[in-house]
Amino acid sequence: MTEITRPGLKPARPHFSSGPCAKPPGWHPEGLALGSLGRSHRSKLGKSRLAHAIDLTRTILKIPATHRIGIVPGSDTGAVEMALWSMLGARAVTMLAWESFGEGWVTDVVKQLKLPDAKVVKAPYGAIPDLGAVDQSGDVVFTWNGTTSGVRVPDGEWIRDDREGLTFADATSAVFAQDLPWDKLDVTTFSWQKVLGGEGGHGVIILGPRAVERLESYQPSWPLPKIFRMTKGGKLIEGIFKGDTINTPSMLAVEDYIYALEWAQSLGGLEALIARANDNAEALDAWVSATPWIEHLAADPATRSNTSVCLKFADAAVQGLDDDAKAALVKKMASLLEAEDAAYDVAGYRDAPPGLRVWCGATVDAGDIQALGPWLDWAWAQAHG
């Protein structure tokens, strides 16, 4: 095997984790507005900062005025489960799963809520179900971008305008990097720890008019915890969507999110964020295309993520190795890279096929992706050789 020299140039910011993700370039704690710290989130100042975060989210993501935006507890998981537990059961539901988080929502619906008419449609890692065959007379739950598989839905054309059920999109690794069709999405969730590199613990839920109608006309048969309740007396609690949060948020995390939103706005908004993510994904793809030992887990470029890019070993490169041996190889590579401060957190997700995962969202710089490639080659040679 040809010996690979240790590269000289390192990524300036070797943060490639898929959550929490890299901070915006130039981020520093002194840049945060800290006046709301130590103040009640119910104070005039606290509510105004929460409302400002909601308003900036609407502006940058181009969310129509018809949709409500709320900051909720429990990260994206909390936002998804709030939606599922509050609204499912009114109609039959189809659960689409092609990676671990989608599988998690299947567990919620089938094993926890125990909905008898839930239909589960799965695809293996790297693939996606036949979206054109999805029954839209009932509700549909799916991940827009599979964080652990690197597979995303290519667009929203498969979602019918005359659908009878609601669409529930877990879009946590898609927002701020992909253009979402808000008229097609009735419930959308994310956490700001993903594409904008915010701090963990808080989720965002976005409700279209049809979702609000469901909430106000349907009462599930099971009890709802306080943190899931979005209605009172059959009416939407509007305050949730104006910054009057259900429980106490971290105002430090809120200010950090506002910092990232204002950074995004200074770049030019959503188009600039999408362009940065696309540039990063293209830079990584250029290295993959030139590297014989690695390939994309998502074989179809049309469904390949531009944020959580997942890679697998080429079959010929790991011939004779079982999954345990491949997983050990990944672990060794990740350890070598971290020890060199060349790349942090690039091991694939534990439930995915053994491989690498590189975050290419907008807070990452393309130059760092380009500098990463030679280090991945070096780590492969060290670990596999």
Side-chain angles (χ1 to χ4, degrees):
M1 181 181 292
T2 303
E3 183 176 348
I4 295 181
T5 303
R6 180 180 177 279
L9 178 67
K10 294 181 182 180
R13 293 187 303 137
H15 299 81
F16 301 108
S17 164
S18 290
C21 300
K23 292 292 189 186
W27 181 93
H28 52 95
E30 293 78 11
L32 304 185
L34 301 180
S36 65
L37 270 64
R39 296 291 307 275
S40 169
H41 62 296
R42 306 291 189 202
S43 69
K44 184 177 180 180
L45 174 61
K47 283 187 177 181
S48 71
R49 296 304 284 172
L50 287 158
H52 183 48
I54 290 171
D55 291 343
L56 282 174
T57 300
R58 185 182 302 279
T59 297
I60 293 169
L61 292 179
K62 302 181 179 180
I63 300 171
T66 53
H67 288 52
R68 272 88 160 180
I69 305 169
I71 296 170
V72 300
S75 193
D76 179 59
T77 299
V80 172
E81 293 188 329
M82 170 185 276
L84 300 184
W85 287 67
S86 297
M87 286 180 260
L88 289 188
R91 288 179 174 269
V93 59
T94 298
M95 307 294 298
L96 303 180
W98 58 89
E99 52 97 47
S100 63
F101 287 103
E103 291 275 7
W105 312 143
V106 169
T107 297
D108 266 350
V109 171
V110 174
K111 294 185 178 180
Q112 301 300 323
L113 296 179
K114 299 181 180 179
L115 295 183
D117 51 5
K119 179 182 180 181
V120 180
V121 180
K122 296 184 179 182
Y125 277 86
I128 198 168
D130 180 2
L131 300 175
V134 175
D135 179 8
Q136 297 180 37
S137 64
D139 299 332
V140 181
V141 179
F142 66 101
T143 53
W144 187 277
N145 184 100
T147 309
T148 65
S149 70
V151 174
R152 64 176 174 181
V153 297
D155 52 48
E157 292 303 308
W158 60 281
I159 302 173
R160 295 195 340 243
D161 291 333
D162 63 347
R163 63 192 178 279
E164 298 169 60
L166 301 181
T167 52
F168 294 74
D170 170 1
T172 195
S173 55
V175 291
F176 300 108
Q178 299 165 24
D179 198 5
L180 302 184
W182 298 109
D183 59 321
K184 305 267 190 181
L185 303 179
D186 300 306
V187 181
T188 309
T189 67
F190 70 90
S191 66
W192 55 55
Q193 72 188 43
K194 284 286 193 291
V195 184
L196 288 187
E199 294 303 300
H202 299 74
V204 175
I205 189 167
I206 303 168
L207 304 178
R210 300 174 75 248
V212 174
E213 181 183 11
R214 171 73 63 83
L215 283 166
E216 294 186 334
S217 63
Y218 167 69
Q219 179 70 37
S221 59
W222 46 82
L224 286 178
K226 178 182 177 180
I227 60 171
F228 284 1
R229 297 174 203 159
M230 291 182 279
T231 61
K232 185 176 182 180
K235 292 294 183 181
L236 191 72
I237 302 173
E238 294 286 359
I240 295 172
F241 307 95
K242 297 176 182 178
D244 194 358
T245 55
I246 295 172
N247 70 337
T248 306
S250 162
M251 294 307 298
L252 181 58
V254 171
E255 294 296 352
D256 186 64
Y257 180 48
I258 290 172
Y259 178 102
L261 289 167
E262 291 177 342
W263 167 79
Q265 196 171 44
S266 74
L267 293 181
L270 183 60
E271 290 82 2
L273 297 175
I274 292 172
R276 283 180 63 90
N278 286 343
D279 287 348
N280 291 335
E282 288 169 8
L284 186 61
D285 180 62
W287 171 77
V288 172
S289 298
T291 305
W293 58 268
I294 201 78
E295 58 191 33
H296 287 284
L297 181 58
D300 182 1
T303 63
R304 191 177 296 157
S305 174
N306 66 340
T307 57
S308 56
V309 182
C310 297
L311 308 173
K312 66 177 182 177
F313 298 120
D315 289 341
V318 289
Q319 190 172 9
L321 298 184
D322 61 16
D323 280 351
D324 287 344
K326 293 175 189 176
L329 182 57
V330 170
K331 185 177 181 179
K332 187 173 182 181
M333 289 180 65
S335 296
L336 286 166
L337 291 164
E338 182 169 349
E340 293 283 347
D341 293 319
Y344 303 143
D345 311 315
V346 294
Y349 194 73
R350 60 181 179 270
D351 295 331
L356 305 175
R357 182 173 60 165
V358 179
W359 185 257
C360 290
T363 59
V364 174
D365 291 316
D368 286 337
I369 295 288
Q370 292 166 350
L372 173 64
W375 280 99
L376 295 176
D377 285 323
W378 172 83
W380 163 260
Q382 294 292 311
H384 186 254

